Amino acid sequence: QVQLVESGGGSVQAGGSLRLSCTVSGYTARNPCLGWFRQAPGKEREGVAGMNSFGDTQYAESVKGRFSISKDNAKNTLYLQMNNLKAEDTAMYFCAAHRDVGYCYLSLFMDPGQDKYWGQGAQVTVSS
């Protein structure tokens, strides 16, 4: 059974930093993609950052240069380092893993409508 458990959310002032962590268990995809998505109140879920098995990454335009995705394979943990946070970054952040048994195309994985495994979410609140 695949489990994704986020941690590290919280409240911070604009310009501050937070690091989200996602511990992954039971995930045995041959060509995995892992990533972060977010959903603000009244808005649709959107892809924030994704990474494939080759280490390629993709970011939403709104977070480029401020957010960085990484993973520690030894710890089965995915990270999202968020710097220079803005009020508009306030949202529930979800960790996700590619669900299909086939090859993971990162650009498709970043579509929140694609079938995925999801974590329960971590709230990030940025005050201006």
Side-chain angles (χ1 to χ4, degrees):
Q1 183 179 357
V2 178
Q3 286 192 318
L4 306 167
V5 180
E6 301 97 334
S7 61
S11 297
V12 65
Q13 289 192 329
S17 298
L18 282 173
R19 188 178 78 161
L20 300 179
S21 300
C22 174
T23 302
V24 183
S25 60
Y27 187 53
T28 58
R30 269 191 268 178
N31 294 290
C33 280
L34 295 169
W36 293 94
F37 295 74
R38 68 185 181 186
Q39 188 166 17
K43 294 188 177 181
E44 293 187 353
R45 191 169 296 190
E46 63 174 348
V48 175
M51 175 182 283
N52 64 13
S53 58
F54 301 104
D56 300 323
T57 58
Q58 185 168 326
Y59 294 91
E61 285 295 326
S62 60
V63 307
K64 280 183 179 178
R66 300 188 298 121
F67 291 13
S68 178
I69 187 172
S70 63
K71 61 181 176 177
D72 185 330
N73 291 325
K75 295 182 178 180
N76 293 323
T77 301
L78 182 74
Y79 300 101
L80 184 68
Q81 179 66 43
M82 304 182 290
N83 297 327
N84 190 22
L85 282 159
K86 304 176 180 181
E88 51 263 42
D89 294 318
T90 295
M92 184 72 77
Y93 284 71
F94 298 90
C95 176
H98 176 57
R99 190 182 187 107
D100 195 284
V101 297
Y103 183 81
C104 176
Y105 292 91
L106 194 53
S107 57
L108 296 179
F109 174 74
M110 292 295 285
D111 176 359
Q114 190 194 52
D115 194 21
K116 297 176 180 51
Y117 296 105
W118 294 99
Q120 83 286 353
Q123 179 67 38
V124 172
T125 302
V126 185
S127 57
S128 56

